[in-house]
Every structure is written in C-alpha cells, then in structure tokens.
Amino acid sequence: MKGILWKVEILVNGVIDFINGFTGKLSVLSIDLPNGETFGFDIPQLDHVSLRLPQLASGTVIPPRTGEFAAILGDNKRETEVVSPLSTMKQAVREVMKEMEGAGGGDIVGYIYLDGRELGQSTVKFVRQEKKRTGRNPILV
C-alpha cells in the first residue's frame, strides 16, 4: 500500500509542477492597453500534496476535534492492535475490573501478633466494606 501511495504522490506532484510551470508562464504575460491600463494574469501556484499515511503500530492518542485522517492499520507485526474511542476502552476496563473482583486468590489476610500471641486478624475485604459503608477507614479511626 505504501509503495502505491508513493507512486501516486509522485504522479500528482508531477502534474502540479506542469500546471505551475504553465501558469507561471501566463503570469509573466501582460498586455498594455491603449487606455494606459495593463492586462495580465496573476495565477497562484498550487502546493504539492503529501499522500503519506501515518503508521500507528506504536500507538497514538488522537485528541477530539483533530479532524479526520486516514492511517495504516495492521502494520504492527508483534501484537494485536485496538482501534477504539477512549470511552469504549474505559468501559471495557471497568467491565474487566468488575469481572476480576475477588479473583487472584481471595482476600489478603493480615494477622496481628503481640509477644507471640495472636490478637486478631483483619481482612482487606472487611476494611473496604467498612470504608464504603461508613466513609471512614476502620483501621485509622
């Protein structure tokens, strides 16, 4: 795909060079009219075009209202690519986090000892539930 775009770009810019050359010649022509005025052409030059498409294999963030543009996708040979609006990505992460709640072996349990005697135990789950229920961390109260 990249090679084709490069060839089209060369062709289009060649046509632009031809047109600019022709209009450049017309722009130097002028005719003095009998009434003292001068008649001539003032034709602006055309700009070259660039048909190179950005390659996003290493990723990028496109800010909103940047405008539309084309890009090469599938050029990452190492891993799967994801093309998605940020809101969709955030929703997917929320869903995965919800699915993983409690995964990974359950709650972390901490034991409290004083002089070799167990005084009690506390779980992260209990602390989270109490903080959610009361708005305060029960350990810090």
Side-chain angles (χ1 to χ4, degrees):
M1 181 70 160
K2 207 163 110 176
I4 293 171
L5 287 176
W6 180 74
K7 290 174 185 173
V8 169
E9 181 179 318
I10 289 174
L11 178 66
V12 168
N13 285 328
V15 170
I16 288 172
D17 286 341
F18 175 78
I19 293 170
N20 283 340
F22 180 73
T23 58
K25 300 279 189 228
L26 283 177
S27 291
V28 294
L29 292 177
S30 66
I31 301 170
D32 293 328
L33 300 174
N35 64 359
E37 292 182 18
T38 303
F39 175 76
F41 298 99
D42 185 16
I43 303 170
Q45 298 284 291
L46 300 174
D47 293 328
H48 280 158
V49 296
S50 175
L51 300 177
R52 291 180 185 87
L53 297 178
Q55 294 181 295
L56 306 177
S58 59
T60 191
V61 175
I62 311 297
R65 295 175 295 285
T66 299
E68 295 177 1
F69 71 91
I72 304 257
L73 300 176
D75 56 332
N76 186 334
K77 306 298 183 225
R78 295 179 310 279
E79 57 188 325
T80 302
E81 293 178 333
V82 175
V83 179
S84 171
L86 184 59
S87 60
T88 304
M89 296 287 288
K90 286 180 176 180
Q91 181 60 37
V93 169
R94 279 192 291 273
E95 289 174 15
V96 168
M97 296 295 283
K98 189 173 182 178
E99 287 174 9
M100 292 187 66
E101 239 177 55
D107 292 321
I108 300 169
V109 178
Y111 296 94
I112 302 169
Y113 290 93
L114 181 61
D115 291 330
R117 278 187 40 212
E118 183 180 322
L119 297 177
Q121 65 177 334
S122 171
T123 69
V124 172
K125 184 176 180 181
F126 169 76
V127 172
R128 275 195 310 252
Q129 287 173 340
E130 282 299 297
K131 186 173 180 184
K132 191 174 189 178
R133 185 178 69 80
T134 64
R136 295 181 295 168
N137 187 326
I139 296 175
L140 301 177
V141 177

